[in-house]
């Protein structure tokens, strides 16, 4: 089977779970395992490979197809790496199911147009957007929708030049690096500055629009940023909005989720909290969540990094004393209480701060 005219991907799939009435079609061991010696793969124009069509009366075991694709490993990785985000994970699984079924349909010559896979990720900093984008790149590569499955993460500064004739080559160079994978544009709304008619960001947007439409078989673009700012961006750029098929929102983490994230980070680094330090970290996060520039998991990571610094300094500052293994692993309240968070006035706290103003970039202060 050759690639269809509708821009379908070239899968080169293994063939688990296929039941064919033709005994000669069952294949040998190499074919069943999807190894490189599978002689049923045929080259298609533009590179890649595709399999021959299945007979009309063949059946397919989707569970086996799913297992062979390796997507469960990627989805399990999301669960292991990210706390919460139930709705985001559900949407990722739905997209994976659609693409899996689509590639099986393709083998029955039930060809449809390649689905639009460009996405928008909205939410505050530290909510897992980049991690999910990276996993999405791997998932699309496993399912045959991307050649490489790598992630290129950029901001306005990587795309927009500072003088006439500078923006186009910068944008095209980034796109070239991202071909075959995912281009992740963080704080995408900074590309468009309506207050400045001479801003070069619009030129970058126009190039991106062309690529998102004409080369969508070879690149997936994910635009990310604060939800309200992204809505304004799409309202000002309807062409961009119309090219986005999937909108995923990443909510701020709740306190219990932040504490779970902290414990996960500590386990990975072979640290632990004493009972008193657990309560101190709880207090720290309650205070920090009410202060400006809170960055969810990023702020948790920063807090733990600084606690490790204080912990190490505390141990080194007691010469002549010997330390056990548990001492080297255990963080105490003193490792957190030195933070400015505990000296800051947060009585007038309340709701978390909103998105930054148009001329501000989010900064982070978790000392």
């Amino acid at each position: 089977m050759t690639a269809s005219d509708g821009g379908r991907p070239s899968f080169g799939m293994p063939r688990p779970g296929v039941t064919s009435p033709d005994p000669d079609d069952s294949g040998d061991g190499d074919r069943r395992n999807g190894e490189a010696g599978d002689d049923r793969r045929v080259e298609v124009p533009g590179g890649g490979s595709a399999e021959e069509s299945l007979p009309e009366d063949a059946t397919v075991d989707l569970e086996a197809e799913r297992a062979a694709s390796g997507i469960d490993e990627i989805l399990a990785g999301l669960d292991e790496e990210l706390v919460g985000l139930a709705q985001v994970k559900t949407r990722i699984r739905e997209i994976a199911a659609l693409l899996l079924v689509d590639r099986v349909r393709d083998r029955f010559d039930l060809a449809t147009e390649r689905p639009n896979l460009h996405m928008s990720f909205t939410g505050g900093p530290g909510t897992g957007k980049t991690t999910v984008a990276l996993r999405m790149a791997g998932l699309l590569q496993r399912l045959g929708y991307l050649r490489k499955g790598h992630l290129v993460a950029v901001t306005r500064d990587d795309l927009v030049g500072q003088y006439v004739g500078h923006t186009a080559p910068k944008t095209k160079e980034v796109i070239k690096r991202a071909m075959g994978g995912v281009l992740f544009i963080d704080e995408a709304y900074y590309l468009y500055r309506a207050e400045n008619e001479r801003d070069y960001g619009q030129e970058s947007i126009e190039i991106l629009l062309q690529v998102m439409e004409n080369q969508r078989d070879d690149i997936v673009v994910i635009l990310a940023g604060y939800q309200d700012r992204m809505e304004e961006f799409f309202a000002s750029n309807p062409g961009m909005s119309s090219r986005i098929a999937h909108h995923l929102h990443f909510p701020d983490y709740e306190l219990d989720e932040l504490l779970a994230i902290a414990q996960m980070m500590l386990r990975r680094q072979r640290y632990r909290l004493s009972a008193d330090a657990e309560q101190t970290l709880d207090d720290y996060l309650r205070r920090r969540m009410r202060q400006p520039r809170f960055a969810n998991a990023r702020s948790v990571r920063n807090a733990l990094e600084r606690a490790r610094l204080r912990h190490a300094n505390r141990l080194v500052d007691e010469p002549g004393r010997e330390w056990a293994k548990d001492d080297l692993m255990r963080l105490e309240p003193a490792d957190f209480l030195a933070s400015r968070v505990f000296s800051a006035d947060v009585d007038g706290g309340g709701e978390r701060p909103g998105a930054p103003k148009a001329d501000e970039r989010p900064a982070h202060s978790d000392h």
Side-chain angles (χ1 to χ4, degrees):
M1 180 179 68
T2 59
S4 70
D5 294 336
R8 299 289 298 158
S10 302
F11 298 123
M13 293 168 53
R15 306 193 63 192
V18 176
T19 304
S20 170
D22 181 0
D24 294 333
D25 192 48
S26 61
D28 56 21
D30 287 346
R31 185 172 299 131
R32 284 194 300 272
N33 292 328
E35 295 178 359
D38 189 344
D39 57 18
R40 298 191 66 82
R41 292 178 184 157
V42 296
E43 294 301 316
V44 299
S49 60
E51 288 196 315
E52 294 179 356
S53 301
L54 294 174
E56 288 286 336
D57 50 355
T59 60
V60 177
D61 182 345
L62 285 178
E63 184 177 359
E65 294 287 344
R66 174 172 176 154
S69 71
I71 62 175
D72 285 336
E73 177 185 345
I74 293 177
L75 296 175
L78 273 179
D79 287 331
E80 293 174 2
E81 292 180 44
L82 295 173
V83 172
L85 299 178
Q87 293 184 349
V88 171
K89 293 175 182 177
T90 296
R91 187 64 174 275
I92 298 299
R93 287 185 171 85
E94 291 172 347
I95 294 172
L98 170 65
L99 300 183
L100 180 67
V101 170
D102 262 14
R103 83 176 198 173
V104 173
R105 282 171 50 88
D106 191 78
R107 292 160 63 185
F108 281 102
D109 288 333
L110 299 173
T112 56
E113 290 187 2
R114 174 189 171 104
N116 182 0
L117 297 172
H118 301 311
M119 306 179 190
S120 169
F121 288 2
T122 58
T127 50
K129 299 186 294 296
T130 305
T131 299
V132 171
L134 182 61
R135 287 288 178 176
M136 177 59 71
L139 186 148
L140 295 176
Q141 191 273 334
R142 293 280 183 94
L143 289 172
Y145 282 81
L146 290 176
R147 292 183 290 112
K148 300 178 182 178
H150 64 297
L151 178 76
V152 175
V154 299
T155 63
R156 172 191 164 94
D157 292 342
D158 301 296
L159 297 167
V160 181
Q162 299 179 352
Y163 52 84
V164 175
H166 192 205
T167 294
K170 285 190 71 172
T171 300
K172 291 177 180 178
E173 176 59 29
V174 167
I175 291 172
K176 180 180 178 181
R177 288 193 287 117
M179 279 296 172
V182 170
L183 175 59
F184 181 84
I185 306 177
D186 198 14
E187 299 178 313
Y189 32 75
Y190 285 120
L191 290 175
Y192 179 74
R193 291 178 173 173
E195 71 280 1
N196 186 356
E197 296 180 357
R198 301 181 62 183
D199 183 69
Y200 303 122
Q202 188 61 40
E203 182 180 0
S204 182
I205 291 174
E206 291 171 359
I207 295 172
L208 287 167
L209 288 174
Q210 293 176 8
V211 171
M212 291 168 72
E213 183 64 29
N214 300 330
Q215 296 178 269
R216 63 192 182 115
D217 291 354
D218 202 28
I219 189 171
V220 169
V221 176
I222 299 178
L223 307 177
Y226 285 100
Q227 185 174 27
D228 55 348
R229 299 292 306 280
M230 290 300 295
E231 290 174 355
E232 294 173 4
F233 174 70
F234 287 134
S236 302
N237 295 272
M240 186 68 78
S241 177
S242 66
R243 286 167 173 79
I244 299 296
H246 303 282
H247 294 262
L248 282 70
H249 180 63
F250 293 67
D252 286 328
Y253 286 110
E254 300 297 332
L255 176 62
D256 61 334
E257 294 174 321
L258 294 169
L259 290 169
I261 290 170
Q263 292 289 358
M264 180 176 63
M265 291 178 176
L266 288 168
R267 284 194 299 271
R268 288 175 180 169
Q269 299 184 68
R270 303 295 302 275
Y271 280 86
R272 72 177 186 85
L273 300 173
S274 69
D276 289 340
E278 288 184 5
Q279 183 56 50
T280 303
L281 179 59
D282 183 295
D283 189 14
Y284 172 95
L285 289 174
R286 289 177 187 274
R287 293 166 177 261
R288 185 67 187 90
M289 290 168 70
R290 300 197 301 268
Q291 294 177 1
R293 299 181 297 280
F294 178 70
N296 292 282
R298 195 175 301 164
S299 288
V300 173
R301 184 183 65 222
N302 291 343
L304 295 180
E305 287 296 322
R306 291 184 174 91
R308 289 178 58 203
L309 288 173
R310 299 184 190 105
H311 166 261
N313 190 62
R314 176 167 56 82
L315 300 188
V316 171
D317 275 356
E318 293 192 41
R321 179 173 174 178
E322 295 184 355
W323 301 99
K325 178 181 178 180
D326 186 63
D327 296 319
L328 301 175
M329 299 172 62
R330 189 181 66 255
L331 299 180
E332 296 289 353
D335 302 323
F336 295 94
L337 289 171
S339 169
R340 291 201 303 263
V341 168
F342 287 99
S343 60
D345 180 11
V346 297
D347 292 339
E351 299 298 324
R352 297 183 185 180
K357 297 179 181 179
D359 58 347
E360 294 177 346
R361 294 293 182 98
H364 310 291
S365 177
D366 300 295
H367 298 283

